[in-house]
Amino acid sequence: TAAGLSYNLVMHKKVEAELEEQKLALSRRMQLECMATMPPNPNTPRANIYLRPAHVGDANQLLPIYNWYAQNSFVSVDIRTVQPDDVRERIQATRDARLPFIVAVERGSGHQRETIFGYATAKDYTGWETSGRYTAELELFVIPEQQRKGIGNCLMDKLLQVCDGNHRTKGGYDFNHTGLSGYGLGGHREFARLIFKFTYIPEERQSKSWVRDWLAKNNFELQGRLCGVRAKNERL
């Protein structure tokens, strides 16, 4: 009868749904077991963070990083205290230039304000409409109390992934792109050269040697050394 056929159809769909749920449960269990036996990713940070693109609302959270380095480090080119509007303009300028600006954010509850531990960004070396348009200058900073926890490695890996279509991603971290495009392999722009400018005073040369070694591990090569090209804190 029609009622019997309808009942059989409902039961058949119920059995199919139960089988599908069992397959999904088995798949999840196998995945968890596989993950448990896999060696840990050496690029996994020791800080509870994830990465995401920066937005203009991050200005106040980024201020402590900008201003600590402006006041205490020769690596930063800033010679005055940075204001929130300065940071907002830098984030927006990066977005307008179709370049990445990535932040490392501490994980927290949904009701807890996010804390930014570091950032990495790229900017045009000489300008979009100049002969240096295929060269990007990279910048990466981590707040001092959160250093040596692998945050910089994660930021570097994601920054290189966006700026270099041939980069072999190391992973080990979560990246939430929040719907923004241009943060996949190769990003929005094609570059032939990626550079870091690393500034230090002569007496820091030995203590900062780890930075040169770290950059070398990320396939950067020393291209030159310029002396006396910056003046900061009454030092040349």
Side-chain angles (χ1 to χ4, degrees):
T1 64
L5 290 174
S6 177
Y7 174 79
N8 290 337
L9 180 61
V10 170
M11 291 301 297
H12 179 70
K13 289 184 176 180
K14 183 179 179 180
V15 171
E16 282 188 335
E18 291 176 349
L19 289 174
E20 184 64 25
E21 181 61 30
Q22 290 175 8
K23 289 180 181 178
L24 289 174
L26 178 61
S27 177
R28 287 193 292 265
R29 187 168 67 251
M30 292 178 64
Q31 184 178 12
L32 291 173
E33 291 175 355
C34 182
M35 292 175 62
T37 58
M38 290 177 61
N41 188 321
N43 203 49
T44 300
R46 293 181 297 281
N48 189 23
I49 57 108
Y50 70 96
L51 307 185
R52 63 165 173 80
H55 51 74
V56 292
D58 292 327
N60 289 330
Q61 281 286 312
L62 286 164
L63 273 180
I65 305 175
Y66 272 104
N67 286 332
W68 190 92
Y69 282 97
Q71 297 166 9
N72 299 286
S73 173
F74 292 95
V75 178
S76 170
V77 299
D78 292 312
I79 58 175
R80 62 175 178 83
T81 301
V82 178
Q83 302 301 317
D85 284 344
D86 299 322
V87 182
R88 294 188 191 99
E89 289 175 3
R90 296 180 188 188
I91 295 173
Q92 189 59 51
T94 303
R95 186 173 296 181
D96 292 342
R98 299 186 302 164
L99 293 171
F101 198 126
I102 304 162
V103 292
V105 183
E106 181 184 25
R107 294 184 188 276
S109 67
H111 304 289
Q112 180 180 346
R113 188 180 70 167
E114 291 185 331
T115 301
I116 294 177
F117 287 165
Y119 75 89
T121 186
K123 51 189 176 182
D124 279 305
Y125 180 54
T126 57
W128 170 249
E129 297 181 342
T130 71
S131 59
R133 62 187 179 278
Y134 294 115
T135 299
E137 183 179 347
L138 308 183
E139 188 175 284
L140 192 158
F141 290 101
V142 176
I143 201 79
E145 55 266 30
Q146 297 298 331
Q147 291 179 356
R148 306 289 180 160
K149 296 181 179 180
I151 298 173
N153 289 331
C154 298
L155 286 167
M156 175 71 87
D157 184 58
K158 187 61 186 179
L159 184 63
L160 293 181
Q161 181 192 40
V162 177
C163 294
D164 181 3
N166 295 315
H167 177 66
R168 298 184 62 181
T169 305
K170 299 175 183 177
Y173 53 87
D174 292 329
F175 180 76
N176 182 1
H177 60 78
T178 61
L180 292 178
S181 62
Y183 281 86
L185 184 62
H188 273 319
R189 296 272 300 273
E190 180 182 355
F191 292 106
R193 290 290 182 271
L194 303 173
I195 63 173
F196 274 100
K197 292 180 181 177
F198 179 62
T199 306
Y200 55 89
I201 56 178
E203 52 263 42
E204 289 182 329
R205 184 172 182 179
Q206 187 62 35
S207 64
K208 300 295 185 181
S209 61
W210 69 269
V211 179
R212 296 192 297 271
D213 296 338
W214 181 63
L215 290 173
K217 289 180 180 178
N218 285 281
N219 299 318
F220 285 89
E221 298 178 357
L222 180 65
Q223 294 293 301
R225 183 178 290 114
L226 299 176
C227 299
V229 295
R230 292 182 181 176
K232 184 173 181 178
N233 298 341
E234 299 181 354
R235 292 294 306 268
L236 187 64

